[in-house]
Amino acid sequence: MDMWGFIPYRTFRNCRKKSCYQGLLIVSLLLTLSILSFNTHLLTQDLWSSSRYSGENLYPKLSDFGHHNRNLQNILPFESTRSHHQGKHDQRTRKSPNKADKLATNWNMTLTSKLSQAKVPSERGEDTLGEKERGRKRRLPQAIIIGVKKGGTRALLEFLRVHPDVLATGPEPHFFDKHYHRGLEWYRDLMPETLPHQMTIEKTPSYFITKEVPSRVYKMSNSTKLILVVRNPVTRAISDYTQILSKHGKIKSFQSSAFLHNDTNKINSSWMVIRIGLYVKHLENWLSVFPRKQIHFVHGENLVTNPGEEMRKVQEFLGLQPLITEEHFFMNKTRGFPCIRKTLNSKRGHCLDESKGRKHPTLPAKVISSLRRFYRPFNAKFYQMTNINFHWT
C-alpha cells in the first residue's frame, strides 16, 4: 500500500478507536436543528401572521355557515401563535397554518359561490309573470253557494265572476251529494287554477237540502264560507215547477202534486218542490255543524231589484274588495232581470240566458193563499234563526 492510501486507512482506524462516529452523529443532529429553526423563523413572519386567520377577520366571512365554525376553532391558530416568544410550540401547532390556509380558501370559495347564486331583489320590487304563474294551481273552494234551487244562485255566481279575485267552476260539481265517493282530489281537479290571493267558489243548490252535506263540507274545511240565496218559498216553488215543466213537457198539474187528494188544506210536504221551501228545517241541519257567522244569507228578491246592495254585502262577507257596485248593473226591461257590465266602461253587459225571467203559469188565488198559509210559521222561525225579516207574505 502506498503512502496516500495508508494515511486514510490509519485515520479511519484511529477514529473508530476514539469514537469519532459519535461526533458525526452530533453534527447531523445540529444540522437538523438548524433546519427546524429556520422553518420556525418562517412561521413567525407576516406571511403566517395570526391576524390573517383571526376570529375577527375570518368568522364574519363564515357567519352564514353556522355549525362549521366550531370545527374551524380546533384548526385555526389565534393569538397564541403570534410570536415564538410566548413559549415552545409543539409540532401540531406549527403545521396548523398550512391546514388553515387550505380550509379558509375552500370556505371563501364556497361563500363566494353561495353569494353569486343568491337572488338579489329587484330595486323596483318587480314580480315577473313567470313568478306569478308558478303560484297558480287548483285549490279546494274557500266558499260554496249551497242553495237554494231557483233562489238566484246562478245570478249571484255570474255577478261574482266579474270580480278579478274570484274564480268559479263551470257546471255544478255535485260533489258532496252525488260524487263524494270519488274523493277530494277528484273534486279539486274540477276547480279552476287560481293564484294564492284569488278565491275559488263553486255552487250546487242541492247541497242545502241534503242531510249528509254539512258534515262532509266541514270535514274538508271547517273554515269554508257558505252562501245561501233564499226567496219567497211560494214564488220559489212555482218557479221550480215551471222549470220542470219546460224540461219534461206534459206533467201533472201543480195542484195535483202540491195537495193531497186535491184538497188545498192538505199540503203534500213530501213533494220536493214544496219541501225545499221549508228553509228552517234545512238550516237547522247546517247550524248543527257550522256556526251562524259562517253562513251568509242573500235576499233573492233584493238581488233582482237592488243587486248592488246585495253584492256589497256578499263581497264584505267573503273579504273581497268592494269592486262590484250598483254602477255595474242595468235592468233588462224585457225580462225584468238585471245584467252586469264586466267593467264600468263596457257598453255591453252580460245578461243571463232566456231561462231567467221565464213566465210562470197562472195559479188560482186559492192555491196561492193556501201555500202562503202553509209556509207562514216556518218563515217566522226562519226569520228568528237568521235575525233577518225577509217580509214574505
Side-chain angles (χ1 to χ4, degrees), residues 4 7 100 119 150 184 207 234-235 288 316 325 353 387 393:
W4 296 108
I7 293 175
K119 180 181 177 181
K150 305 310 297 179
L184 283 176
Y207 288 164
V234 176
T235 309
S288 67
E316 181 180 356
T325 66
D353 60 32
N387 198 29
T393 58

Side-chain angles (χ1 to χ4, degrees), residues 234 254-255 258-259 264 267 363-372:
V234 176
F254 184 90
Q255 295 90 317
F259 305 113
T264 55
I267 303 293
L363 298 178
K366 187 177 182 180
V367 172
I368 301 297
S369 178
S370 179
L371 290 173
R372 288 175 177 172

Side-chain angles (χ1 to χ4, degrees), residues 113-319:
S113 177
K114 293 289 185 181
L115 292 175
S116 63
Q117 296 175 6
K119 180 181 177 181
V120 179
S122 172
E123 294 181 357
R124 295 176 295 175
E126 294 179 345
D127 191 9
T128 64
L129 179 62
E131 291 172 341
K132 289 183 178 179
E133 291 300 320
R134 282 196 291 271
R136 187 182 298 277
K137 65 179 181 179
R138 301 184 191 277
R139 294 173 170 84
L140 294 172
Q142 297 99 329
I144 302 177
I145 302 174
I146 59 175
V148 296
K149 182 182 180 184
K150 305 310 297 179
T153 57
R154 187 149 65 90
L156 175 62
L157 185 62
E158 291 302 311
F159 296 162
L160 277 172
R161 287 181 190 272
V162 174
H163 201 290
D165 293 337
V166 172
L167 278 84
T169 55
E172 298 171 0
H174 283 279
F175 171 67
F176 293 103
D177 59 346
K178 295 181 180 180
H179 303 292
Y180 191 66
H181 63 281
R182 296 179 181 269
L184 283 176
E185 289 306 313
W186 179 88
Y187 183 47
R188 190 197 308 271
D189 288 341
L190 299 179
M191 299 299 119
E193 292 184 346
T194 58
L195 296 171
H197 71 277
Q198 293 177 317
M199 175 173 285
T200 302
I201 294 180
E202 74 114 316
K203 87 161 181 84
T204 304
S206 58
Y207 288 164
F208 182 59
I209 63 172
T210 306
K211 186 177 181 180
E212 298 82 9
V213 170
S215 59
R216 290 174 177 176
V217 174
Y218 188 89
K219 186 177 180 180
M220 176 191 72
S221 173
N222 59 9
S223 62
T224 304
K225 294 185 177 183
L226 310 169
I227 302 176
L228 180 64
V229 188
V230 289
R231 184 183 185 186
N232 187 321
V234 176
T235 309
R236 195 221 67 82
I238 297 173
S239 179
D240 197 355
Y241 174 79
T242 303
Q243 185 181 56
I244 296 173
L245 183 63
S246 66
K247 290 183 177 180
H248 300 285
K250 293 182 178 181
I251 57 173
K252 289 183 179 182
S253 66
F254 184 90
Q255 295 90 317
S256 299
S257 299
F259 305 113
L260 297 174
H261 311 298
N262 287 325
D263 185 352
T264 55
N265 293 320
K266 297 179 180 179
I267 303 293
N268 181 14
S269 59
S270 63
W271 187 33
M272 190 56 65
V273 170
I274 298 295
R275 190 170 183 81
I276 290 175
L278 302 176
Y279 301 145
V280 65
K281 295 294 184 180
H282 307 302
L283 183 59
E284 287 174 348
N285 185 36
W286 282 89
L287 291 179
S288 67
V289 178
F290 284 92
R292 165 68 180 80
K293 65 181 180 180
Q294 279 184 233
I295 305 177
H296 178 72
F297 301 90
V298 177
H299 196 308
E301 286 82 9
N302 201 40
L303 184 63
V304 175
T305 59
N306 193 0
E309 180 183 3
E310 290 300 318
M311 291 307 299
R312 176 185 59 79
K313 295 176 182 178
V314 171
Q315 291 172 98
E316 181 180 356
F317 171 72
L318 296 177

